[in-house]
Amino acid sequence: HVAYKGAGPALIDVIAGQVSTMFVSPLAAMPNIKAGKLTALAVTGTRSHNAGSGTITLNKADNDFGGAVSLTGGTTSITDVNALTLGTLSTGALTVTSGDALELGSGSAASLTASTGTSNGAITQTDALAVTGTSSLNAGTGNITLTDADNNFGGAVSLTGGTVTITDSNALTLGTLSTGALTVASGGALDLGGGSAISVNASTGTSNGAITQTDALMVIAATSLNAGTGNITLTNTDNDFGGTVSLTGGATSITNVNAHTLGALNTGA
């Protein structure tokens, strides 16, 4: 223990390497943290950061936020060495890196890039998310569960994970996929994007939204698609459906580069 007459002299010695660690208010330390002169070690309780429309940058690799972190700002970046729980969000482009499980909280962002890195931590949410632009979620082999009925993803959503479940209250466009069992519920038209999944169970519910794709899909096991009376159009010539494909829809077109096994059918033309 070293005694100082105030935070200022203590900060000078920490920056100079004369003292390795100190406890200080975030307000006093933040300018030096942002300048890269100090590394934040831990925050044990809930935190709220409000920069108005300004940028929030909390991306030191050793950050450890023990409680929920609420964020209001423009372009926002946050990193946690361990599990991270976000609170209420109102941000521009949001980038989140977590060293373990990640809870995305609730609220809105202009775009979303979230990763649990090599930890394979699960990605979940507390309440509804509204993302105006694109979303990219990478849980490694961990599960992704974003099933709040009021979610609204305005742009393409790319997904990398184990068992993945996603819900959108409106139309949903998926981007690049690399998942285990994928379950998708859309409140409007559904674009399945492209990429790979172990299995796919996709529905547009009572909206009767059409189900389409942007690029080739490779599904190893069973596929179940329910568009109500909406059309299903999956005609990319490189599609590869390895298991049984069950279809409910209006006018339905499906292409498979290899052998094709259809399951239960309830379609139009």
Side-chain angles (χ1 to χ4, degrees):
H1 174 77
V2 181
Y4 286 91
K5 294 181 178 180
L11 284 168
I12 291 171
D13 278 0
V14 172
I15 292 169
Q18 301 299 317
V19 178
S20 62
T21 306
M22 71 176 292
F23 292 94
V24 66
S25 72
L27 183 63
M30 192 57 67
N32 289 298
I33 293 172
K34 289 183 176 180
K37 297 177 181 179
L38 292 175
T39 298
L41 293 179
V43 179
T44 57
T46 59
R47 303 299 300 175
S48 179
H49 299 277
N50 188 338
S53 60
T55 300
I56 299 175
T57 307
L58 302 172
N59 55 12
K60 291 296 182 181
D62 292 330
N63 287 343
D64 190 357
F65 299 95
V69 182
S70 295
L71 299 164
T72 299
T75 300
T76 300
S77 177
I78 185 169
T79 298
D80 196 304
V81 68
N82 293 307
L84 175 60
T85 298
L86 298 181
T88 302
L89 305 175
S90 180
T91 73
L94 175 61
T95 302
V96 186
T97 304
S98 177
D100 206 329
L102 170 60
E103 187 172 295
L104 288 171
S106 63
S108 62
S111 64
L112 174 62
T113 301
S115 174
T116 57
T118 57
S119 74
N120 301 313
I123 297 177
T124 59
Q125 66 184 134
T126 305
D127 210 334
L129 291 167
V131 183
T132 307
T134 59
S135 298
S136 178
L137 306 171
N138 187 341
T141 60
N143 297 339
I144 299 174
T145 307
L146 302 175
T147 54
D148 191 284
D150 292 322
N151 285 340
N152 189 7
F153 298 97
V157 183
S158 295
L159 300 162
T160 299
T163 300
V164 175
T165 308
I166 184 168
T167 299
D168 196 305
S169 59
N170 297 300
L172 175 61
T173 298
L174 299 182
T176 302
L177 305 175
S178 180
T179 74
L182 174 63
T183 302
V184 186
S186 176
L190 171 60
D191 186 331
L192 289 171
S196 63
I198 298 298
S199 63
V200 173
N201 187 338
S203 172
T204 56
T206 57
S207 74
N208 298 312
I211 297 178
T212 59
Q213 67 185 134
T214 302
D215 209 341
L217 291 165
M218 182 177 72
V219 184
I220 296 172
T223 298
S224 177
L225 305 174
N226 186 342
T229 59
N231 297 338
I232 299 174
T233 308
L234 301 176
T235 54
N236 189 290
T237 56
D238 291 323
N239 285 340
D240 188 356
F241 297 97
T244 300
V245 181
S246 297
L247 300 164
T248 299
T252 299
S253 301
I254 186 167
T255 300
N256 194 343
V257 70
N258 292 308
H260 208 140
T261 302
L262 296 179
L265 301 177
N266 184 7
T267 71

